C-alpha cells in the first residue's frame, strides 16, 4: 500500500507540473492579447486627444475641456506600461515552469485552439473525476490501511492458546564422571508438551491500538 501511495504521489506531482505549464502558457497568451488591446486603446486615446486639440484650435471647444482628455490619455498610457510589466513577469514564470534560463527567447503562439468534446453522462463524469483525483485515491488506500490496523488490533486482543512440544533424539553419554552409570537411564526421554493459555485482562494498550484507528 505504501508503494501505491508513493506512485500516486509521484503521478500527482507530474500532473501538477503539466497543469502548471499549461496555465502559465495560457496566462502568457492572455497577457499578449491584453497588451494588443491596451495598444489599441492608447492609439484611440491619442487620436481623440488630437481631435480635441484641433477643435480647441478652431474655437469649437474651450481649452479647459481638453484637460480631461489628456488625463484619459495618460491613464491609458500607464495601463499599457503595467501590462508590459505583467507580460514580462509571466514570461519569466513560463520559462521557469518549463525549466529554461531567464534570458531564453521563445516564439509564443498567441492563438489557442479550443477543441470541443462530447460531454459524458453524470455517472461517467463522476467516475472519471474520482479516478483522476489522486488525493481521493490516496485516501482510499489510507482507509484500507486503517481497516487492516483495526482487524490486527482486534485479533491481538483475543484469547490465545498455544501448544508447544519437544523431544530428545539420540542416546546420552553414560560415562559422565561423578554420576552413577544408571543415573541417565532414569531420565524420561519422551516428548515434552507445554500449553500456554493467555487471557488479556485490562489490556489498555490493546484497546488503545483498536480505538485509535477507529477514530
Amino acid at each position: 500500500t505504501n508503494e501505491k501511495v508513493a506512485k500516486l504521489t509521484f503521478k500527482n506531482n507530474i500532473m501538477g507540473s503539466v497543469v502548471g505549464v499549461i496555465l502559465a502558457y495560457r496566462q502568457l497568451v492572455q497577457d499578449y492579447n491584453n497588451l494588443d488591446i491596451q495598444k489599441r486603446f492608447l492609439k484611440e486615446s491619442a487620436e481623440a486627444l488630437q481631435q480635441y486639440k484641433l477643435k480647441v484650435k478652431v474655437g469649437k471647444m474651450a481649452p479647459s475641456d481638453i484637460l480631461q482628455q489628456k488625463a484619459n490619455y495618460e491613464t491609458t498610457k500607464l495601463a499599457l506600461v503595467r501590462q508590459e510589466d505583467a507580460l514580462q513577469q509571466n514570461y519569466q514564470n513560463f520559462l521557469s515552469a518549463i525549466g529554461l534560463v531567464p534570458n531564453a527567447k521563445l516564439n509564443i503562439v498567441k492563438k489557442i485552439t479550443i477543441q470541443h468534446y462530447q460531454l459524458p453522462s453524470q455517472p461517467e463524469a463522476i467516475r472519471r473525476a474520482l479516478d483522476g483525483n489522486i488525493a481521493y485515491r490516496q485516501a482510499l488506500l489510507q482507509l484500507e490501511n486503517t481497516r487492516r490496523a483495526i482487524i490486527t488490533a482486534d485479533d491481538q486482543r483475543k484469547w490465545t492458546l498455544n501448544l508447544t512440544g519437544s523431544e530428545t533424539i539420540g542416546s546420552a553419554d553414560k560415562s559422565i564422571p561423578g554420576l552413577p552409570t544408571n543415573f541417565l537411564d532414569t531420565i524420561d526421554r519422551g516428548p515434552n508438551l507445554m500449553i500456554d493459555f493467555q487471557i488479556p485482562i485490562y489490556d489498555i494498550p490493546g484497546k488503545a491500538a483498536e480505538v485509535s484507528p477507529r477514530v
Side-chain angles (χ1 to χ4, degrees):
T1 303
N2 294 333
E3 182 181 359
K4 292 181 179 179
V5 172
K7 289 182 178 179
L8 289 177
T9 302
F10 177 74
K11 183 178 180 180
N12 188 42
N13 294 335
I14 297 299
M15 291 172 58
S17 299
V18 173
V19 171
V21 172
I22 294 175
L23 293 178
Y25 170 71
R26 289 182 178 272
Q27 181 62 49
L28 187 60
V29 172
Q30 183 179 355
D31 289 337
Y32 274 111
N33 293 331
N34 291 337
L35 182 62
D36 293 337
I37 293 174
Q38 289 297 331
K39 288 181 179 179
R40 289 198 299 267
F41 284 166
L42 183 62
K43 182 179 179 181
E44 293 173 359
S45 180
E47 292 176 353
L49 179 59
Q50 185 64 26
Q51 291 177 1
Y52 269 75
K53 290 181 179 180
L54 293 176
K55 290 180 180 180
V56 171
K57 186 176 181 180
V58 297
K60 291 185 177 181
M61 295 186 62
S64 58
D65 295 335
I66 202 174
L67 295 179
Q68 182 61 41
Q69 188 60 33
K70 287 183 177 180
N72 294 339
Y73 174 79
E74 294 297 333
T75 301
T76 307
K77 188 176 180 179
L78 178 60
L80 177 63
V81 174
R82 290 178 176 175
Q83 184 59 45
E84 291 175 345
D85 293 339
L87 174 62
Q88 292 299 324
Q89 180 64 37
N90 290 325
Y91 182 80
Q92 294 299 324
N93 294 338
F94 178 71
L95 293 180
S96 177
I98 60 179
L100 295 181
V101 294
N103 57 351
K105 302 299 181 181
L106 298 179
N107 184 18
I108 305 298
V109 179
K110 304 178 181 62
K111 183 179 180 180
I112 298 178
T113 303
I114 300 178
Q115 299 181 356
H116 298 280
Y117 298 95
Q118 183 179 1
L119 294 179
S121 62
Q122 182 178 2
E124 179 65 16
I126 295 176
R127 185 192 66 80
R128 292 183 184 181
L130 294 181
D131 288 344
N133 191 327
I134 303 300
Y136 172 76
R137 296 176 61 184
Q138 289 178 338
L140 291 181
L141 293 175
Q142 296 295 342
L143 180 61
E144 188 64 26
N145 287 339
T146 304
R147 288 174 177 170
R148 285 201 295 265
I150 294 175
I151 295 175
T152 302
D154 182 67
D155 185 70
Q156 291 178 352
R157 294 184 58 211
K158 295 180 179 179
W159 295 8
T160 58
L161 177 61
N162 298 321
L163 176 64
T164 59
S166 63
E167 182 177 4
T168 303
I169 301 177
S171 60
D173 185 7
K174 298 183 179 181
S175 61
I176 300 178
L179 294 178
T181 56
N182 62 346
F183 176 77
L184 296 177
D185 293 336
T186 61
I187 299 177
D188 184 8
R189 299 187 179 278
N192 297 322
L193 300 178
M194 181 176 64
I195 297 177
D196 182 17
F197 183 49
Q198 297 183 2
I199 302 177
I201 301 176
Y202 298 109
D203 186 13
I204 303 300
K207 292 181 179 180
E210 181 181 356
V211 171
S212 178
R214 288 186 181 276
V215 173

